[in-house]
Amino acid sequence: MGGSATATYLITGAASGIGAATAELLAGRGDRVVIADINTRAAEELASRLGPDTLALELDVTSQSGWEVVLDETVARFDTLDVLVNNAGIVETGFARDVSVERHQRTISTNFMGPLTGTLAALRRFRAQGHGHIVTVCSMTAFLPFPGLASYAASKHALRSFHHAVAIEERHSEIDFTIVHPTATETPMLEQEALDDSSAFAFVTTSVSAVFVAETIVTAIDARSGEVFMPPDGADDIIELGIHPDKLLAIFDRAEEFGRKTQRQRRPS
């Protein structure tokens, strides 16, 4: 939308963390924002605080019918939807061997199938109206095998591939595609990771605020950027480690020990 005219945004997982920070930033500049979240109470509280041009809607991103209801209600309230921000996600910490198949499946269903379902539902509408913008909040773990968060990283690998494949398929349409890869971010998810020894590697890098990530997302949307990495100056090294896991193995023990020190400092005394 270029940031010059108001637009209607639908943000999933918008009741807290990165989603809430993004909603607040967009509402603050005058955009219309739908705060979609499975936590209805928190979504309604945020919408009430952000003003009349925000709407809180309950959404389980794994529900195809739920997506259709939310999209219908968005258009009924604001007449249009311009930008979908697929942000909702969960993490199930623990070594893969200790995480049940059901918990692995929950991660894949929420982090991959959820955005897939929403993207396809919005895509039909965007094609019909002749414009739209699909934004995927992914992760730098999309490039990196991540012990302690194995299915989370796997879901982000899949999500990045799906996003780019659809973007290529729609290359001759009037639909824009943006994918953003945050680094470790100060959210409830990172707090959860701090309590599990298996997730020590998540604390190797310095974390950033949800507001910082939200600003990056909005800037990328306005610029219609195709793909944005965080941090930009360290992305090449992360991708290199992901391509060559033997290099990751060579440094992992030292890196994990460094991360564990930071992780332990975050825990309640």
Side-chain angles (χ1 to χ4, degrees):
M1 307 311 297
S4 59
T6 59
T8 301
Y9 291 77
L10 168 58
I11 308 172
T12 67
S16 64
I18 293 170
T22 305
E24 188 162 358
L25 181 59
L26 291 167
R29 72 180 196 177
D31 289 304
R32 300 171 293 274
V33 181
V34 177
I35 299 166
D37 203 288
I38 200 167
N39 186 342
T40 310
R41 180 176 179 179
E44 289 174 346
E45 289 175 354
L46 179 59
S48 177
R49 181 164 60 84
L50 294 184
D53 282 337
T54 57
L55 174 65
L57 295 175
E58 182 178 8
L59 176 62
D60 175 352
V61 295
T62 67
S63 169
Q64 186 173 358
S65 61
W67 270 105
E68 296 300 334
V69 169
V70 165
L71 289 166
D72 285 343
E73 292 191 23
T74 297
V75 175
R77 171 68 179 272
F78 295 122
D79 297 325
T80 186
L81 173 63
D82 301 298
V83 185
L84 167 64
V85 182
N86 278 312
N87 167 73
I90 62 168
V91 65
E92 295 280 1
T93 58
F95 293 118
R97 63 180 179 269
D98 298 325
V99 176
S100 67
V101 171
E102 290 77 15
R103 290 171 63 202
H104 284 300
Q105 181 63 62
R106 181 169 175 257
T107 299
I108 299 299
S109 295
T110 303
N111 295 0
F112 175 56
M113 291 304 299
L116 179 152
T117 304
T119 292
L120 296 180
L123 186 62
R124 291 192 298 272
R125 296 164 188 253
F126 287 166
R127 287 177 61 90
Q129 72 186 17
H131 74 275
H133 195 156
I134 293 174
V135 181
T136 299
V137 181
C138 197
S139 169
M140 286 306 297
T141 63
F143 303 93
L144 194 63
F146 217 103
L149 305 173
S151 50
Y152 177 86
S155 70
K156 298 300 185 176
H157 272 75
L159 184 58
R160 178 177 183 267
S161 294
F162 176 79
H163 173 97
H164 282 304
V166 176
I168 294 168
E169 290 174 356
E170 299 297 325
R171 64 192 179 278
H172 298 305
S173 75
E174 297 302 316
I175 302 169
D176 295 304
F177 289 83
T178 296
I179 188 167
V180 179
H181 302 286
T183 184
T185 307
E186 292 296 331
T187 64
M189 187 179 293
L190 193 65
E191 294 173 9
Q192 178 183 344
E193 293 165 11
L195 300 176
D196 195 319
D197 285 342
S198 71
S199 307
F201 193 58
F203 299 90
V204 170
T205 59
T206 302
S207 59
V208 298
S209 70
V211 171
F212 178 79
V213 177
E215 290 171 346
T216 302
I217 291 169
V218 173
T219 298
I221 293 170
D222 289 346
R224 292 183 170 84
S225 301
E227 187 162 34
V228 175
F229 306 100
M230 297 176 61
D233 56 350
D236 288 345
D237 292 336
I238 293 172
I239 294 169
E240 178 73 11
L241 287 173
I243 294 173
H244 302 287
D246 55 322
K247 295 181 179 180
L248 179 60
L249 281 169
I251 68 164
F252 192 83
D253 285 346
R254 286 179 287 117
E256 184 181 48
E257 184 56 34
F258 176 83
R260 184 164 285 118
K261 292 177 182 178
T262 303
Q263 182 188 42
R264 288 170 177 166
Q265 291 171 359
R266 298 176 61 97
R267 295 177 177 174
S269 57

